[in-house]
Amino acid sequence: LFPYTTLFRSAQSLERYSFTQPHLGTIVELTIYAPDEGVANDAARAAFARVKELDLVFSDYKADSETMRLCETAGSGQARSVSAELFDCLTRAVDISSRSDGAFDVTVGPEVRLWRRARKEKRLPNLAELSAAKEKVGWKMVELNDVARTVRLQRSGMQLDFGGIAKGYIAQDVSRLLRDRGLTRTLVA
C-alpha cells in the first residue's frame, strides 16, 4: 500500500471541531481535527489559555502587560530582563525593521497612541504633537542583549506596538502547542 492510503484512512477517523473566543481585540478561531470531542475540547482550552498568556506579554492596551512594564523603563538607561517570548518576538521585529529600512517599526507606539486619541476625540493631531510622537519612534533605539535576554529602550517615552507581528507570532505558538499534543490538522486564525 502507498503511505498516502494510510494517511487517508487516518484522516477519515478525525472529526472537525471549531471554537471561537474573543482575544487580542478580535475573535480567535480554532479549527481542530481530532479523534473525539474530549481531545478537541482539551486542546482548545489549552490553546485559548496560551493566547491569553501571550496577550499579557504583548498587549499595549493592558497596563499590566509585560510590554507596558518594559515601556515604563524607556529612557531610564535600565536594561530589563524579559520573557523568552517577548525577547524572541522583539528580536524578530527589530530584524524586520532593519531589513525593511524602518518601513516596519515596532516602536511606532507613540504615533499609534496619538492617532487613537485623535480618532476618539474626532480631531487631527497638530504638527507639534506629530513631531513629538515621531521623536520617540525608532527601532535603532532598541538595545537587545541576547546573552542576558534583556532589552533597553534608549529614549524616554518609547512605546512598543506589536500589532503588526504579535498575532502571527501567537498563531504560530498555538499551532506548535497543538502539534505537540499530536494534533497535526489545525487552523489558528
Side-chain angles (χ1 to χ4, degrees), residues 135-186:
E135 287 295 316
K136 300 171 187 170
V137 175
W139 63 272
K140 291 180 181 177
M141 295 183 288
V142 176
E143 189 178 300
L144 301 168
N145 180 326
D146 57 340
V147 174
R149 202 175 70 210
T150 59
V151 178
R152 187 170 72 89
L153 303 176
Q154 296 175 3
R155 183 161 293 158
S156 182
M158 288 182 75
Q159 293 286 316
L160 301 174
D161 185 320
F162 285 96
I165 193 172
K167 287 178 181 145
Y169 182 91
I170 292 169
Q172 285 181 330
D173 190 88
V174 170
S175 292
R176 188 173 25 259
L177 177 146
L178 294 171
R179 271 192 317 276
D180 289 349
R181 289 172 156 260
L183 300 167
T184 58
R185 292 175 177 87
T186 64

Side-chain angles (χ1 to χ4, degrees), residues 59-128:
S59 178
D60 67 337
Y61 285 94
K62 297 176 178 167
D64 62 338
S65 76
E66 185 178 7
T67 293
M68 295 307 290
R69 290 191 315 268
L70 172 62
C71 291
E72 289 171 359
T73 68
S76 70
Q78 173 187 357
R80 181 170 215 150
S81 181
V82 297
S83 67
E85 295 88 354
L86 181 56
F87 193 84
D88 183 39
C89 194
L90 187 53
T91 299
R92 291 174 189 217
V94 168
D95 179 56
I96 294 167
S97 297
S98 175
R99 289 189 287 140
S100 69
D101 197 27
F104 174 84
D105 191 335
V106 73
T107 68
V108 74
E111 291 176 326
V112 170
R113 279 195 155 72
L114 180 62
W115 286 103
R116 282 181 192 160
R117 191 181 79 217
R119 184 179 60 217
K120 184 178 177 183
E121 295 175 357
K122 296 181 171 86
R123 70 161 187 85
L124 293 175
N126 63 45
L127 290 177

